[in-house]
Amino acid sequence: MIGGGLRRHLAARGDEVRCLSRKASAQPGWFTWDADSGAPPRESLEGSDAVIHLAGEPVAQRWSPEVKRRIRSSREQGTQALSEALAALPRRPAVLVSASATGYYGDRPMSC
């Protein structure tokens, strides 16, 4: 979604990009992290100038009580674990951008 395009854009302009993902990858700079399991790998954050946090259970699915719990938990637990890991670094990034549940809903009339 947003992460892939942002990663390509930043890499194309020469930035070193590291990715934290639930999905494993052999790509350089790629780290596996399940936000519900605790802190991200320290080496994924050390020396970073900025962190962009786009993690969270996808919202584009049927919302059962369990899915609602996962959506909320993934945002709360993940942001908490990331914030604590960043606070523990000897040199913290200057910027943290966090977003979740971004989407495009099309052009439709306003209803109030």
Side-chain angles (χ1 to χ4, degrees):
M1 297 177 85
I2 293 173
L6 181 58
R7 178 174 41 89
R8 287 186 296 277
H9 174 77
L10 292 172
R13 71 177 212 176
D15 292 312
E16 176 191 344
V17 179
R18 293 180 231 158
C19 296
L20 288 164
S21 177
R22 289 176 289 203
K23 299 173 187 162
S25 174
Q27 294 182 52
W30 201 277
F31 298 87
T32 304
W33 176 48
D34 176 1
D36 288 331
S37 67
R42 186 178 180 109
E43 63 272 15
S44 68
L45 303 173
E46 287 180 326
S48 297
D49 295 321
V51 173
I52 302 169
H53 178 47
L54 303 174
E57 175 77 16
V59 296
Q61 59 181 309
R62 184 173 290 288
W63 285 26
S64 68
E66 173 57 20
V67 168
K68 288 180 192 178
R69 186 201 64 74
R70 288 195 321 257
I71 288 170
R72 183 173 181 152
S73 172
S74 68
R75 283 151 178 78
E76 291 175 350
Q77 302 287 349
T79 302
Q80 172 109 21
L82 179 60
S83 297
E84 289 171 359
L86 292 171
L89 293 173
R91 185 181 77 75
R92 291 179 287 220
V95 175
L96 170 62
V97 175
S98 185
S100 66
T102 56
Y104 176 72
Y105 301 99
D107 186 18
R108 44 183 94 163
M110 296 277 295
S111 61
C112 297

